[in-house]
Amino acid sequence: AQTVTQSQPEMSVQEAETVTLSCTYDTSESNYYLFWYKQPPSRQMILVIRQEAYKQQNATENRFSVNFQKAAKSFSLKISDSQLGDTAMYFCAFRNQGGKLIFGQGTELSVKP
Amino acid sequence: GAVVSQHPSRVICKSGTSVKIECRSLDFQATTMFWYRQFPKQSLMLMATSNEGSKATYEQGVEKDKFLINHASLTLSTLTVTSAHPEDSSFYICSAGGTTNEKLFFGSGTQLSVL
């Protein structure tokens, strides 16, 4: 079975600091997509960043970047210069070749002033 | 970016009644739509996958007779919770996308409360 594991239920970071959220996954597929989604208190799911498994280069989106280690099946999210608006639930997700999006348990991030 | 509209955002119903939730892709054709359920402080649990013009595929443990899914067009999928009970109270979210290498876009969710 394909699984996604986020081992950090909660994390906190000071404003302007950097924080890394961990994610590991398990699959036997070679082609797939990985995502980080943010869910603020409004509960709207917001795509943060996306990585294609066949690309070796780590994806970046402004203050957000990933460390994708395919052999280790690890996909961590780094948030630089953390802002109060980054406070939210963060979900790591894996999209398999069948199209299903499978989510990890989530990490609740609090950015403190 | 693409927009997925989900209605209603909140519904309160009596036990035993049925509730229909709509998910529309407003500016693209969604060949596949997914329905998720989320309990407070928990992750999104995939309930079923609906493909336009065919029967939905349900995840293990999801009652297909309780959660009826219809995907009659490329822009609309509906989830009907039949004979709702208090344990069906939850946050339901739909997502829509095209082929597997594309992003999925999410509706804003529906909070269902069954009294």
Side-chain angles (χ1 to χ4, degrees):
Chain A
Q2 294 163 331
T3 58
V4 179
T5 302
Q6 292 177 249
S7 57
Q8 305 153 313
E10 298 177 353
M11 290 196 73
S12 65
V13 63
Q14 289 296 129
E15 195 175 8
E17 297 293 307
T18 296
V19 64
T20 299
L21 308 184
S22 302
C23 173
T24 59
Y25 59 94
D26 188 24
T27 183
S28 57
E29 295 179 3
S30 57
N31 276 339
Y32 48 87
Y33 294 82
L34 295 163
F35 304 84
W36 278 97
Y37 281 90
K38 169 184 176 181
Q39 188 180 41
S42 68
R43 295 193 287 187
Q44 174 70 55
M45 296 293 286
I46 300 167
L47 177 63
V48 174
I49 201 164
R50 170 177 175 253
Q51 173 84 42
E52 292 94 334
Y54 61 85
K55 287 188 177 178
Q56 291 186 332
Q57 187 173 7
N58 289 324
T60 62
E61 286 287 342
N62 300 313
R63 298 184 294 109
F64 300 89
S65 62
V66 298
N67 183 0
F68 174 47
Q69 302 290 327
K70 190 173 184 180
K73 295 179 181 170
S74 169
F75 182 62
S76 61
L77 173 70
K78 185 170 82 171
I79 306 174
S80 304
D81 185 25
S82 297
Q83 300 175 1
L84 297 178
D86 295 334
T87 292
M89 196 77 165
Y90 286 81
F91 292 101
C92 177
F94 166 96
R95 192 170 190 196
N96 64 16
Q97 292 180 358
K100 292 182 186 180
L101 195 61
I102 300 164
F103 287 91
Q105 303 93 323
T107 297
E108 189 168 11
L109 176 67
S110 297
V111 180
K112 301 187 184 302
Chain B
V3 177
V4 174
S5 174
Q6 184 174 343
H7 291 282
S9 59
R10 181 178 294 274
V11 58
I12 301 171
C13 70
K14 291 182 178 179
S15 187
T17 61
S18 294
V19 173
K20 181 184 283 189
I21 302 170
E22 289 189 350
C23 181
R24 292 181 185 273
S25 56
L26 297 185
D27 53 0
F28 68 102
Q29 292 183 329
T31 53
T32 306
M33 289 187 175
F34 301 90
W35 287 95
Y36 292 86
R37 184 173 182 175
Q38 185 180 30
F39 291 108
K41 298 285 188 180
Q42 293 189 23
S43 187
L44 282 72
M45 182 192 78
L46 180 64
M47 299 174 66
T49 303
S50 74
N51 296 296
E52 185 266 338
S54 62
K55 288 185 179 180
T57 304
Y58 290 81
E59 295 299 303
Q60 191 172 8
V62 177
E63 299 176 60
K64 59 182 68 175
D65 293 332
K66 167 164 275 297
F67 299 102
L68 300 179
I69 291 172
N70 183 279
H71 193 158
S73 76
L74 284 170
T75 59
L76 174 64
S77 176
T78 60
L79 167 67
T80 301
V81 183
T82 63
S83 186
H85 291 284
E87 57 266 29
D88 299 325
S89 298
S90 186
F91 190 63
Y92 294 87
I93 311 176
C94 70
S95 67
T99 57
T100 57
N101 64 350
E102 293 178 358
K103 304 172 192 178
L104 282 176
F105 299 94
F106 285 83
S108 53
T110 298
Q111 177 63 51
L112 171 64
S113 300
V114 185
L115 305 178

